[in-house]
């Protein structure tokens, strides 16, 4: 809050001098003059308008009221309308300021979560991760993924989803993926063939669930299918559900991609 200016030496200040004293722009002073909020009381022989000590004190009040968020119309009423309840007006403004502070604090907390999510990937404790993802989960995996993929668009998208996701929502994603894994195993056992409606439906279901992490294009899904088959960790996961499931999953993804005009042999991460 600004201190009250010393007006003991004021006999007639130009708009430039007042601008320097109060830290407001000449343009603002001209505007306040034009709308009748704060007009200079004196004129020089040449017609230049000058501000008196009383003018400067009024301007200081205007600056203070503007800093706390009052609009110019409300400021004029506070200064000039004797019927205006000044304490009431200030209390109302204080309530609005308190609301803005609360919103800013919420925004700050959201930014903290977003920063943490970009840096950590998961905003879950080690205990929560174990409870949600199971005993086979390695809590170091998010940090490893951050080092490997942290500069990619997909990591940014994943972090933004993670920042707003509760443990209960992570549990729902995990259960949906587990249900899909069981459905894939059952479909392979039932002899569902790549390119069939049943297989294509499973491929679409996989894309929808995977979008919980980041949007997955069909070409990206083909690349992911390759990874599931060739990466030892992923292959062990799928083949642990059913022997040969990693290779079968890649085949149904490739077949679905072909029906959408994508050559699996040339598909790229895009």
């Amino acid at each position: 809050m600004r201190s009250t200016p010393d007006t003991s030496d004021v006999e007639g200040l130009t708009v430039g001098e007042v601008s320097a004293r109060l830290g407001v722009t000449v343009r603002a002073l001209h505007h306040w003059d034009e709308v009748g909020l704060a007009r200079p009381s004196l004129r020089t022989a040449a017609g230049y308008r000058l501000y008196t000590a009383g003018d400067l004190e009024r301007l200081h009040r205007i600056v203070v009221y503007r800093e706390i968020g009052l609009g110019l119309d409300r400021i004029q009423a506070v200064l000039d309308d004797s019927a205006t309840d000044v304490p009431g007006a200030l209390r109302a403004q204080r309530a609005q300021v308190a609301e803005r502070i609360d919103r800013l604090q919420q925004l700050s907390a959201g930014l903290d979560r977003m920063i943490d999510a970009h840096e950590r990937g998961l905003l879950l404790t080690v205990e929560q991760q174990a409870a949600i993802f199971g005993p086979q989960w390695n809590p170091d995996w998010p940090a490893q993924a951050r080092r490997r993929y942290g500069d990619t668009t997909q990591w940014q998208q994943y972090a933004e989803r993670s920042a707003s996701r509760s443990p209960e929502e992570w549990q729902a994603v995990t259960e949906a993926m587990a249900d899909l894994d069981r459905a894939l195993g059952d479909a392979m056992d039932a002899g569902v063939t790549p390119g069939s409606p049943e297989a294509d439906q499973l491929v679409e279901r996989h894309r929808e669930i995977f979008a919980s992490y980041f949007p997955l294009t069909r070409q990206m899904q083909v690349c992911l299918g390759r990874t599931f088959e060739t990466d030892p960790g992923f292959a062990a996961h799928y083949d642990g559900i059913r022997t040969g499931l990693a290779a079968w999953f890649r085949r149904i993804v490739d077949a679905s991609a072909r029906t959408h005009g994508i050559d699996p042999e040339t598909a790229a991460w895009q």
Side-chain angles (χ1 to χ4, degrees):
M1 192 70 68
R2 298 173 185 268
S3 60
T4 302
D6 180 9
T7 60
S8 60
D9 61 340
V10 175
E11 295 181 357
L13 296 179
T14 66
V15 66
E17 290 170 332
V18 170
S19 171
R21 285 199 178 209
L22 294 182
V24 298
T25 65
V26 170
R27 181 178 180 180
L29 292 170
H30 282 313
H31 177 63
W32 297 347
D33 182 3
E34 290 169 1
V35 298
L37 179 62
R39 287 176 172 157
S41 298
L42 300 178
R43 284 185 182 273
T44 67
Y48 293 107
R49 307 191 76 169
L50 300 176
Y51 292 87
T52 65
D55 296 335
L56 199 61
E57 290 173 359
R58 180 181 177 90
L59 284 167
H60 174 73
R61 293 184 68 192
I62 292 170
V63 171
V64 169
Y65 288 142
R66 190 180 65 162
E67 284 183 345
I68 64 174
L70 290 180
L72 295 186
D73 290 343
R74 193 62 173 154
I75 292 172
Q76 187 145 24
V78 168
L79 294 178
D80 299 334
D81 188 349
S82 60
T84 298
D85 177 10
V86 176
L90 295 178
R91 288 191 184 95
Q93 188 62 25
R94 181 180 62 187
Q96 293 181 25
V97 169
E99 290 177 4
R100 288 202 298 270
I101 290 172
D102 183 61
R103 289 196 297 271
L104 288 171
Q105 288 175 335
Q106 293 178 29
L107 176 60
S108 178
L111 287 170
D112 286 342
R113 285 184 61 83
M114 188 71 76
I115 292 168
D116 285 348
H118 274 272
E119 293 179 344
R120 294 167 44 202
L122 279 174
L123 302 185
L124 299 171
T125 66
V126 172
E127 293 75 17
Q128 287 173 325
Q129 292 178 46
I132 293 171
F133 304 127
Q136 78 285 355
W137 176 262
N138 182 346
D140 291 333
W141 283 342
Q144 295 172 11
R146 169 72 171 81
R147 289 192 293 271
R148 185 172 181 180
Y149 304 113
D151 59 349
T152 65
T153 298
Q154 285 72 42
W155 177 267
Q156 295 168 10
Q157 293 167 332
Y158 165 70
E160 288 163 6
R161 285 161 171 74
S162 178
S164 60
R165 187 164 290 156
S166 67
E168 293 76 18
E169 289 169 328
W170 272 119
Q171 183 70 50
V173 171
T174 302
E175 291 173 357
M177 192 62 75
D179 288 344
L180 174 62
D181 287 348
R182 286 189 288 270
L184 289 170
D186 292 344
M188 191 184 78
D189 286 347
V192 171
T193 58
S196 66
E198 295 86 350
D200 288 347
Q201 186 178 40
L202 288 169
V203 172
E204 288 305 304
R205 184 175 166 188
H206 173 261
R207 287 182 64 239
E208 290 173 4
I209 296 173
F210 207 90
S212 300
Y213 304 102
F214 54 80
L216 190 70
T217 67
R218 297 185 192 284
Q219 291 210 47
M220 290 164 66
Q221 189 179 31
V222 169
C223 296
L224 206 58
R226 292 180 203 147
T227 301
F228 288 171
E229 183 180 21
T230 59
D231 180 271
F234 283 114
H237 168 76
Y238 283 101
D239 289 343
I241 298 169
R242 296 288 194 284
T243 301
L245 184 59
W248 182 82
F249 179 73
R250 178 180 178 178
R251 289 198 297 274
I252 68 170
V253 169
D254 287 355
S256 177
R258 290 189 188 96
T259 65
H260 291 89
I262 298 169
D263 181 358
E265 298 302 319
T266 59
W269 188 262
Q270 60 184 27

